[in-house]
Amino acid sequence: MCPTLPFPKLYTTTSFGDFVYIHLLPSSKPISAFLDLSLKLLHHHHQSITMVLSKTASESDVSVHSTFASRYVRTSLPRFKMAENSIPKEAAYQIINDELMLDGNPRLNLASFVTTWMEPECDKLMMASINKNYVDMDEYPVTTELQNRCVNIIAHLFNAPLEESESAVGVGTVGSSEAIMLAGLAFKRKWQNKRRAEGKPIDNPNIVTGANVQVCWEKFARYFEVELKEVKLKEGYYVMDPEKAVEMVDENTICVAAILGSTLNGEFEDVKRVNDLLVEKNKETGWDTPIHVDAASGGFIAPFLYPELEWDFRLPLVKSINVSGHKYGLVYAGIGWVIWRNKEDLPEELIFHINYLGADQPTFTLNFSKGSSQVIAQYYQLIRLGFEGYRNVMENCRENMIVLKEGLEKTKRFNIVSKDEGVPLVAFSLRDNHRHDEFEISDLLRRFGWIVPAYTMPPDAQHVTVLRVVIREDFSRTLAERLVNDIQKVLHELDTLPSKLSSNVKAADGEDGKPAETRALESKKSDLEKTREITTIWRKFVTARKQKMNVVC
């Protein structure tokens, strides 16, 4: 039996008779470490083993290859150009499937807020409607009706002031990014209309928000020429400060954007405090600066876990809210919603009316054609789960978050940056990151399949680095406990390794004071000598045991 070799990701082996061929992969450790290992193995295992060292060449980037497709296709496919000829459907499927196997496991992607699991019945509905164009309202009136039902259900969930028979004003979007673009455009146009009526300039609009906003707000500001005035953060306080935000409001402010569930640490910003301060400032100045709530992550959490929290249309200055259906709305990626308080908050001139699809259709979107699947899936979740079902899911997420948080606290190695009230996630940083930092933990956790992001905070807290684990519906208590165990293994491994800083210094200067170039030449010479020594020992082993029973690995 062949001895088990360490470093399983650094080599592959094949055997033939008395020979074991070890192929070093491109990611292998330096040759000297491997030669040391080989010597130890030969001295401790009395077997007839001959090892041939080789270096596997990386595949060309010019073509796409597939082992399973070889029975159908005899030539490689060009990677960046269309092939001249067709290939069998089985081959196309296998080629793509083979490449996709190298993607990460969505269930273990703890960086993402996006839903990665739905019930099989909903999957069937999505596949059955994947060929329906969502925008073709005349051809697919039922799909349009389901979208309108979703808008009204969400508007009532957010306490929109609607009369009994009054319809809500809102639209389905491709995630919260499009929703924020639409809401921002509505604010900008309303501000422009008011300024024109007063005979004032309209060339310098701005939005006040915290430095913790998602990048889509920066995109809106740049694409639509609106200044983004950001309230800087500080260590220990990683959301927008309401007092500082309202101080930054001026006559050109089209809205204050508050975040219900910061992507950095899941914390809810104090929307009510912003509203109260802004009411007073509007009275003093005569302005009517409104509020938009970016509830991408928290919009489907707060109503179920914190029903008494005032953040939505119960506050008079909140004029629009966006929410991501593909986050805690529990739908696969590609669906968001934006809801306006009433019709007056969405300027009519932004709504287009088209009739070339068969009937007059009002539309207010940045995108046009898109699939209907996510809208139908959202409606499925809303009627399937109901208020009770959503509350159960969110409570389970919160409980699993607490399990993970307590497990990390028991290690006594981390500071918890996230809050108990907010999006169910755990953001944490090392208490001592002088020897090893959070980025190293993130890298090493990938060995176990976990994708845990490490990132620095925005200004003025950019010196703080955190790791973040988002707790979704498919993240069970068992997975939480397993993650804690794997983090402990990573910490133990890091404790045995030299720090990055000391390694870099040693690599640059040399522990013995020798120049790096000299040490590199000596290392090469040493490797050559070790190779010769190993070859001599192998030959002796093979000759001495040639007549004995062969052992095949």
Side-chain angles (χ1 to χ4, degrees), residues 533-551:
E533 181 183 355
I534 292 171
T535 302
T536 301
I537 294 174
W538 284 339
R539 285 174 179 169
K540 290 180 180 179
F541 268 55
V542 173
T543 302
R545 301 179 182 275
K546 200 169 185 180
Q547 304 301 324
K548 294 185 178 182
M549 181 179 65
N550 292 331
V551 179

Side-chain angles (χ1 to χ4, degrees), residues 90-142:
E90 297 87 354
Y93 169 82
Q94 196 64 57
I95 288 172
I96 297 172
N97 187 67
D98 288 350
E99 289 206 67
L100 290 175
M101 289 171 61
L102 300 177
D103 265 347
N105 184 341
R107 295 281 299 276
L108 300 182
N109 180 9
L110 307 182
S112 178
F113 291 82
V114 176
T115 297
T116 53
W117 178 87
M118 296 186 73
E119 292 177 325
E121 291 76 9
C122 192
D123 289 345
K124 292 177 183 178
L125 284 172
M126 295 184 72
M127 289 307 300
S129 59
I130 201 167
N131 59 348
K132 293 182 180 180
N133 189 357
Y134 162 81
V135 78
D136 196 344
M137 302 177 186
D138 187 57
E139 186 68 24
Y140 308 116
V142 175

Side-chain angles (χ1 to χ4, degrees), residues 438-452:
E438 291 81 359
F439 294 101
E440 291 177 84
I441 294 176
S442 177
D443 289 340
L444 290 178
L445 281 174
R446 287 180 179 266
R447 292 185 183 180
F448 301 94
W450 301 109
I451 301 174
V452 178

Side-chain angles (χ1 to χ4, degrees), residues 254-463:
I254 63 175
C255 77
V256 175
I259 314 299
L260 193 78
S262 171
T263 57
L264 300 179
N265 67 345
E267 187 174 352
F268 292 166
E269 292 184 344
D270 192 345
V271 186
K272 187 177 187 307
R273 179 63 177 161
V274 174
N275 179 87
D276 294 345
L277 291 172
L278 205 51
V279 166
E280 292 301 319
K281 185 159 189 172
N282 286 343
K283 287 180 180 179
E284 295 172 4
T285 60
W287 305 332
D288 56 357
T289 308
I291 296 172
H292 174 85
V293 179
D294 180 358
S297 300
F300 277 110
I301 295 172
F304 306 106
L305 292 184
Y306 315 107
E308 302 303 319
L309 181 67
E310 294 184 43
W311 62 273
D312 52 18
F313 291 120
R314 285 171 288 183
L315 302 175
L317 292 183
V318 174
K319 302 299 182 180
S320 57
I321 299 172
N322 70 275
V323 65
S324 291
H326 61 218
K327 292 183 179 178
Y328 289 93
L330 308 180
V331 178
Y332 293 140
I335 185 68
W337 304 93
V338 57
I339 312 295
W340 283 272
R341 186 182 192 88
N342 51 50
K343 293 180 180 179
E344 291 72 28
D345 295 309
L346 176 57
E348 177 63 31
E349 62 264 35
L350 294 179
I351 302 174
F352 289 82
H353 295 266
I354 60 172
N355 63 9
Y356 55 80
L357 292 178
D360 179 70
Q361 299 172 7
T363 175
F364 178 39
T365 60
L366 296 180
N367 298 284
F368 196 66
S369 295
K370 61 182 177 181
S372 301
S373 297
Q374 271 75 12
V375 171
I376 292 170
Q378 184 72 82
Y379 185 66
Y380 171 90
Q381 293 289 48
L382 292 173
I383 67 169
R384 160 77 174 93
L385 295 173
F387 195 93
E388 177 189 31
Y390 269 96
R391 183 179 58 201
N392 289 339
V393 170
M394 302 312 154
E395 287 178 348
N396 287 339
C397 289
R398 181 172 58 181
E399 290 172 5
N400 290 332
M401 177 266 290
I402 293 173
V403 170
L404 177 60
K405 175 189 171 185
E406 292 177 347
L408 293 172
E409 287 176 332
K410 287 180 181 178
T411 67
K412 298 181 179 180
R413 301 287 293 272
F414 298 105
N415 292 318
I416 305 300
V417 176
S418 52
K419 306 295 183 181
D420 289 342
E421 182 176 294
V423 177
L425 62 79
V426 182
F428 53 103
S429 60
L430 283 167
R431 293 184 180 180
D432 182 4
N433 60 3
H434 290 90
R435 294 187 71 251
H436 299 286
D437 59 28
E438 291 81 359
F439 294 101
E440 291 177 84
I441 294 176
S442 177
D443 289 340
L444 290 178
L445 281 174
R446 287 180 179 266
R447 292 185 183 180
F448 301 94
W450 301 109
I451 301 174
V452 178
Y455 51 89
T456 56
M457 289 291 193
D460 286 332
Q462 60 267 33
H463 60 284

